[in-house]
Coordinates of all heavy atoms in Angstrom, one line a residue:
V5 N 19.6 1.8 66.8 CA 18.2 1.6 66.3 C 17.2 1.9 67.4 O 17.4 1.6 68.6 CB 18.0 0.1 65.9 CG1 16.6 -0.2 65.4 CG2 19.0 -0.3 64.9
R6 N 16.2 2.6 67.1 CA 15.1 2.9 68.1 C 14.1 1.8 68.1 O 13.1 1.8 67.5 CB 14.4 4.3 67.7 CG 15.4 5.4 67.7 CD 14.7 6.8 67.4 NE 14.3 6.9 66.0 CZ 13.1 6.9 65.5 NH1 12.1 6.8 66.3 NH2 12.9 7.1 64.2
L7 N 14.5 0.8 68.9 CA 13.7 -0.4 69.0 C 12.4 -0.2 69.9 O 12.5 0.3 71.0 CB 14.5 -1.6 69.6 CG 13.8 -2.9 69.5 CD1 13.7 -3.5 68.1 CD2 14.5 -3.9 70.4
N8 N 11.3 -0.7 69.3 CA 10.1 -0.7 70.1 C 9.5 -2.1 70.0 O 8.9 -2.5 69.0 CB 9.0 0.3 69.5 CG 7.7 0.3 70.3 OD1 7.6 -0.5 71.2 ND2 6.9 1.2 70.0
A9 N 9.8 -2.9 71.1 CA 9.4 -4.3 71.1 C 8.0 -4.5 71.6 O 7.6 -5.6 71.9 CB 10.4 -5.1 72.0
D10 N 7.2 -3.4 71.7 CA 5.8 -3.6 72.2 C 4.8 -3.5 71.1 O 3.6 -3.5 71.4 CB 5.6 -2.4 73.2 CG 6.4 -2.5 74.5 OD1 6.7 -3.7 74.9 OD2 6.8 -1.5 75.0
V11 N 5.2 -3.5 69.8 CA 4.3 -3.3 68.7 C 4.4 -4.5 67.8 O 5.3 -5.2 67.8 CB 4.5 -2.0 68.0 CG1 4.2 -0.8 68.9 CG2 5.9 -1.9 67.4
L12 N 3.4 -4.6 66.9 CA 3.3 -5.7 65.9 C 4.2 -5.5 64.7 O 4.9 -6.4 64.3 CB 1.9 -6.0 65.5 CG 0.9 -6.5 66.5 CD1 -0.5 -6.6 65.9 CD2 1.4 -7.8 67.1
Y13 N 4.2 -4.2 64.2 CA 5.1 -3.9 63.1 C 5.3 -2.4 63.0 O 4.5 -1.6 63.6 CB 4.5 -4.5 61.8 CG 3.1 -4.1 61.4 CD1 2.9 -2.9 60.6 CD2 2.0 -4.9 61.7 CE1 1.6 -2.6 60.2 CE2 0.8 -4.5 61.3 CZ 0.5 -3.4 60.6 OH -0.7 -3.0 60.2
V14 N 6.3 -2.0 62.3 CA 6.7 -0.6 62.2 C 7.0 -0.3 60.7 O 7.7 -1.0 60.0 CB 8.0 -0.3 63.0 CG1 8.4 1.1 62.7 CG2 7.7 -0.5 64.5
D15 N 6.4 0.8 60.2 CA 6.6 1.2 58.9 C 7.4 2.5 58.9 O 7.0 3.5 59.3 CB 5.2 1.5 58.2 CG 5.3 2.0 56.8 OD1 6.4 2.3 56.3 OD2 4.3 2.1 56.1
E16 N 8.7 2.3 58.4 CA 9.6 3.4 58.4 C 9.9 3.7 56.9 O 11.0 3.6 56.4 CB 10.9 3.1 59.1 CG 10.7 3.3 60.6 CD 10.9 4.8 61.0 OE1 12.0 5.3 61.0 OE2 9.8 5.4 61.3
G17 N 8.8 4.0 56.1 CA 9.0 4.3 54.7 C 9.4 3.1 53.9 O 8.6 2.2 53.9
P18 N 10.6 3.1 53.4 CA 10.9 1.9 52.6 C 11.4 0.7 53.4 O 11.6 -0.4 52.9 CB 12.1 2.4 51.7 CG 12.7 3.5 52.5 CD 11.6 4.1 53.3
I19 N 11.6 0.9 54.7 CA 12.1 -0.2 55.6 C 11.0 -0.5 56.6 O 10.5 0.4 57.3 CB 13.4 0.2 56.3 CG1 14.4 0.8 55.3 CG2 13.9 -1.0 57.1 CD1 14.9 -0.2 54.4
L20 N 10.6 -1.8 56.7 CA 9.5 -2.2 57.6 C 10.0 -3.4 58.4 O 10.7 -4.2 57.9 CB 8.2 -2.5 56.9 CG 7.6 -1.4 56.0 CD1 8.1 -1.6 54.5 CD2 6.1 -1.5 56.0
T21 N 9.6 -3.5 59.6 CA 9.9 -4.6 60.5 C 8.7 -5.1 61.2 O 7.8 -4.3 61.5 CB 11.0 -4.2 61.5 OG1 10.6 -3.0 62.2 CG2 12.3 -3.9 60.8
S22 N 8.7 -6.4 61.6 CA 7.6 -6.9 62.3 C 8.1 -7.7 63.5 O 9.2 -8.1 63.5 CB 6.7 -7.8 61.4 OG 7.2 -9.1 61.3
A23 N 7.2 -8.0 64.4 CA 7.5 -8.9 65.5 C 7.4 -10.3 65.0 O 7.4 -10.6 63.8 CB 6.5 -8.6 66.7
G24 N 7.3 -11.2 66.0 CA 7.4 -12.6 65.6 C 6.2 -13.3 65.0 O 5.0 -12.8 65.3
L25 N 6.3 -14.3 64.2 CA 5.3 -15.2 63.8 C 4.1 -14.5 63.2 O 4.1 -14.0 62.2 CB 5.0 -16.2 64.9 CG 6.2 -17.1 65.3 CD1 5.9 -18.0 66.5 CD2 6.8 -17.9 64.2
S26 N 3.0 -14.6 64.0 CA 1.7 -14.0 63.5 C 1.8 -12.6 63.1 O 1.1 -12.1 62.2 CB 0.6 -14.3 64.4 OG 0.8 -13.6 65.6
A27 N 2.7 -11.8 63.8 CA 2.8 -10.4 63.4 C 3.4 -10.3 62.0 O 3.2 -9.3 61.3 CB 3.8 -9.7 64.4
G28 N 4.1 -11.3 61.5 CA 4.6 -11.3 60.1 C 3.4 -11.4 59.2 O 3.5 -10.8 58.1
I29 N 2.4 -12.1 59.5 CA 1.2 -12.1 58.7 C 0.6 -10.7 58.6 O 0.2 -10.2 57.5 CB 0.1 -13.1 59.3 CG1 0.7 -14.5 59.3 CG2 -1.2 -13.1 58.4 CD1 -0.2 -15.5 60.0
D30 N 0.5 -10.0 59.8 CA -0.1 -8.7 59.8 C 0.7 -7.8 58.9 O 0.1 -7.0 58.1 CB -0.1 -8.1 61.2 CG -1.0 -8.9 62.1 OD1 -2.1 -9.2 61.8 OD2 -0.5 -9.3 63.2
L31 N 2.0 -7.9 58.9 CA 2.9 -7.0 58.1 C 2.7 -7.3 56.6 O 2.6 -6.4 55.8 CB 4.4 -7.2 58.5 CG 5.3 -6.4 57.6 CD1 5.1 -4.9 57.7 CD2 6.8 -6.7 58.0
C32 N 2.7 -8.6 56.3 CA 2.5 -8.9 54.8 C 1.2 -8.4 54.3 O 1.1 -7.9 53.2 CB 2.7 -10.4 54.6 SG 4.5 -10.9 54.8
L33 N 0.1 -8.6 55.1 CA -1.2 -8.1 54.7 C -1.2 -6.6 54.6 O -1.8 -6.0 53.7 CB -2.3 -8.6 55.6 CG -2.6 -10.1 55.6 CD1 -3.6 -10.4 56.7 CD2 -3.1 -10.5 54.2
Y34 N -0.4 -5.9 55.5 CA -0.3 -4.5 55.4 C 0.3 -4.1 54.1 O -0.1 -3.1 53.4 CB 0.5 -4.0 56.6 CG 0.8 -2.5 56.6 CD1 -0.1 -1.6 56.9 CD2 2.1 -2.1 56.3 CE1 0.2 -0.2 56.9 CE2 2.5 -0.8 56.3 CZ 1.5 0.2 56.6 OH 1.8 1.5 56.6
L35 N 1.4 -4.8 53.7 CA 2.0 -4.5 52.4 C 1.1 -4.7 51.2 O 1.0 -3.9 50.3 CB 3.2 -5.4 52.2 CG 4.4 -5.2 53.2 CD1 5.5 -6.2 52.9 CD2 4.9 -3.8 53.2
V36 N 0.3 -5.8 51.3 CA -0.7 -6.0 50.2 C -1.7 -4.8 50.2 O -2.1 -4.3 49.1 CB -1.5 -7.3 50.4 CG1 -2.6 -7.4 49.4 CG2 -0.5 -8.5 50.2

């Protein structure tokens, strides 16, 4: 995995990942 632990979230097409806690809010709002 090409991990980048310096960002809030990563959009890789159908697969998305976020950092901890409040970054999860950012990711969910991004999906909306």
Side-chain angles (χ1 to χ4, degrees):
V5 181
R6 295 185 285 113
L7 186 71
N8 182 353
D10 295 327
V11 297
L12 294 179
Y13 56 89
V14 175
D15 181 350
E16 279 280 283
I19 310 293
L20 303 94
T21 53
S22 81
L25 299 176
S26 65
I29 299 175
D30 298 311
L31 175 60
C32 288
L33 290 176
Y34 174 76
L35 295 178
V36 172

